[in-house]
């Protein structure tokens, strides 16, 4: 009886992952140009309407800190944990050399991370794999969860992941594709506003420990230089990713 039970559980788990794989790897029909435009406008509204942005910015912060963590690991640093705060700020702690290319790359990754993530999502979504993008984002959130070190960060990641799971498991494919376009547009557009906010805070003298100022300390290039680079990269991702989505 126990063996049969174990076999049944394994079969159920196998069926679940098999269905997930089929959904994630099946190309969906491209939406109409009107749908692409509407999803872009919805994402733009989320970014420019400040009360909505204050909530949605937590998603950008997750991508920001996740980018720090991924690049830190790729550069051979050890990840000590990630914190997400209710004011939409965050902190990623990694261990390794205090200076050098690895530290520079880790510090640089944060502000460009959401835009680069959006660019990758745009490439896949524009080729019919929007549903796959949603599943990849969900997997990324699960992997990120083990590195979260505070309760608000845990809540942010769990809520975001739960919403993604509801979309990917229960909505029709057409709705999933539309959500994928909206999320992709949001990542591309939402990557730009934090860079503008960063310079505004720096101008007021309130961001002396920002990534731009850390990079200035590491490279002796002025913080404004790094803000401009952040802006150019995120705008470049928006233009290129947007052209893919419109096409």
């Amino acid at each position: 009886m126990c063996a049969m039970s174990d076999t049944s559980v394994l079969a159920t788990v196998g069926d679940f992952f098999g269905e997930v794989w089929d959904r994630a790897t099946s190309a969906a029909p491209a939406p109409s140009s009107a749908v692409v435009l509407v999803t872009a406008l919805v994402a733009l509204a989320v970014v420019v309407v400040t009360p909505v942005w204050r909530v949605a910015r937590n998603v950008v912060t997750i991508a920001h800190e996740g980018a720090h963590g991924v690049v830190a690991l790729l550069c051979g640093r050890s990840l000590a944990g990630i914190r997400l705060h209710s004011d939409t700020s965050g902190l990623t702690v990694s261990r390794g050399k205090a200076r050098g290319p690895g530290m520079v790359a880790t510090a640089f990754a944060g502000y460009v991370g959401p835009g680069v993530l959006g660019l990758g999502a745009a490439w896949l979504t524009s080729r019919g794999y929007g549903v796959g993008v949603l599943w990849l984002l969900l997997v990324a959130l699960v992997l990120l969860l083990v590195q979260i070190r505070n309760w608000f960060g845990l809540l942010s990641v769990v809520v975001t992941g739960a919403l993604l799971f509801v979309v990917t498991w229960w909505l029709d494919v057409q709705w999933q594709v539309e959500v994928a376009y909206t999320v992709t547009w949001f990542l591309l557009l939402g990557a730009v506003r934090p860079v503008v906010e960063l310079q505004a805070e720096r101008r007021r003298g309130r961001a002396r420990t920002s990534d731009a100022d850390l990079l200035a300390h590491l490279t002796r290039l002025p913080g404004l230089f790094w803000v401009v680079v952040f802006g150019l990269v995120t705008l470049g991702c928006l233009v290129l990713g947007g052209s893919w989505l419109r096409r």
Side-chain angles (χ1 to χ4, degrees), residues 215-233:
L215 285 165
H217 173 71
L218 292 170
T219 64
R220 298 186 181 178
L221 294 170
L224 181 59
F225 168 84
W226 291 108
V227 174
V228 171
V229 173
F230 293 158
L232 291 175
V233 173

Side-chain angles (χ1 to χ4, degrees), residues 104-125:
V104 171
T106 299
F108 179 76
Y111 277 97
V112 302
V116 173
L117 179 61
L119 184 63
W123 188 84
L124 288 172
T125 300

Side-chain angles (χ1 to χ4, degrees), residues 23-100:
R23 294 185 183 191
T25 57
S26 298
S32 66
S33 57
V35 169
V36 175
L37 176 60
V38 169
T39 57
L41 292 175
V42 170
L44 180 61
V46 172
V47 172
V48 300
V49 177
T50 299
V52 181
W53 169 248
R54 287 173 182 162
V55 177
R57 195 186 192 284
N58 287 289
V59 176
V60 177
T61 302
I62 291 173
H64 177 118
E65 300 303 330
H68 279 313
V70 169
V71 173
L73 292 174
L74 291 176
C75 291
R77 302 177 64 83
S78 61
L79 198 56
I82 295 173
R83 292 177 176 270
L84 307 172
H85 305 135
S86 57
D87 62 355
T88 71
S89 66
L91 176 66
T92 298
V93 179
S94 63
R95 296 191 180 97
K97 292 182 179 179
R99 306 187 71 90

Side-chain angles (χ1 to χ4, degrees), residues 200-247:
E201 290 296 301
R202 293 184 72 253
R203 192 180 302 116
R204 299 187 187 101
R206 298 177 184 173
R208 299 185 184 279
T209 59
S210 70
D211 292 348
D213 293 281
L214 174 58
L215 285 165
H217 173 71
L218 292 170
T219 64
R220 298 186 181 178
L221 294 170
L224 181 59
F225 168 84
W226 291 108
V227 174
V228 171
V229 173
F230 293 158
L232 291 175
V233 173
T234 53
L235 285 172
C237 289
L238 172 58
V239 171
L240 181 57
S243 69
W244 288 341
L245 293 175
R246 292 194 307 273
R247 184 178 59 189

Side-chain angles (χ1 to χ4, degrees), residues 101-223:
M103 188 61 202
V104 171
T106 299
F108 179 76
Y111 277 97
V112 302
V116 173
L117 179 61
L119 184 63
W123 188 84
L124 288 172
T125 300
S126 65
R127 283 156 177 77
Y129 296 102
V131 178
V133 166
L134 297 180
W135 279 108
L136 285 173
L137 292 175
L138 184 57
V139 170
L141 287 173
V142 172
L143 295 176
L144 180 66
L145 196 61
V146 300
Q147 293 294 338
I148 299 298
R149 296 294 183 268
N150 67 324
W151 286 109
F152 182 82
L154 183 67
L155 178 64
S156 296
V157 174
V158 168
V159 169
T160 305
L163 292 173
L164 271 178
F165 182 77
V166 167
V167 171
T168 52
W169 194 250
W170 279 292
L171 292 187
D172 292 335
V173 171
Q174 178 184 350
W175 283 101
Q176 291 174 358
V177 171
E178 292 173 7
V179 171
Y181 269 83
T182 305
V183 170
T184 302
W185 278 117
F186 173 72
L187 288 170
L188 293 170
L189 292 163
V192 179
R193 180 164 177 173
V195 178
V196 177
E197 294 174 340
L198 169 64
Q199 184 54 28
E201 290 296 301
R202 293 184 72 253
R203 192 180 302 116
R204 299 187 187 101
R206 298 177 184 173
R208 299 185 184 279
T209 59
S210 70
D211 292 348
D213 293 281
L214 174 58
L215 285 165
H217 173 71
L218 292 170
T219 64
R220 298 186 181 178
L221 294 170

